[in-house]
Amino acid sequence: MFFIFLIFASLVAFVHFKVQQGRATGPVEKRSNSSKGSIAIGIFFISFGINSYMNLQSSVSAFITLIFVIFGTINVFFGLKHYRMLKPHLSKEKAALQNN
């Protein structure tokens, strides 16, 4: 039941960050929201893979789970890396936009 909640919550977060990406005014803010969306979709892939294995428990679902977990981990890793890189620039961009 936990993974089902996590699946829906990560999809809602993904849609939220994609909408925020479209509404963003600065380029750094857009990329920041894109990286947050990448983290959310990575969590979706990981939780979906684990949930499918827990429900089916077959060798085919184990292989699919492995693919989903690897792909989700890559998304989360690079999304976090990109977000950490953009975080200092994001505060500077927000301050510059408020001054204008």
Side-chain angles (χ1 to χ4, degrees):
M1 197 65 171
F2 172 73
F3 289 109
I4 294 172
F5 173 75
L6 198 58
I7 288 169
F8 286 118
S10 61
L11 280 177
V12 168
F14 174 73
V15 170
H16 170 73
F17 289 127
K18 286 300 176 179
V19 168
Q20 291 297 336
Q21 181 182 353
R23 292 181 178 180
T25 55
V28 177
E29 188 179 3
K30 286 183 187 240
R31 290 187 297 192
S32 172
N33 285 327
S34 175
S35 63
K36 290 176 190 177
S38 178
I39 294 167
I41 203 70
I43 292 171
F44 166 76
F45 282 130
I46 292 169
S47 58
F48 183 79
I50 292 172
N51 186 47
S52 68
Y53 180 71
M54 289 176 63
N55 289 334
L56 300 174
Q57 293 186 355
S58 67
S59 58
V60 174
S61 67
F63 179 71
I64 293 172
T65 298
L66 184 64
I67 291 172
F68 271 83
V69 168
I70 289 171
F71 188 66
T73 304
I74 290 169
N75 271 326
V76 169
F77 176 75
F78 285 113
L80 281 171
K81 186 177 178 180
H82 195 238
Y83 179 71
R84 287 182 190 152
M85 181 188 73
L86 292 173
K87 196 171 182 181
H89 303 290
L90 184 63
S91 60
K92 291 177 187 176
E93 183 178 90
K94 283 186 179 181
L97 288 174
Q98 287 178 353
N99 290 338
N100 290 335

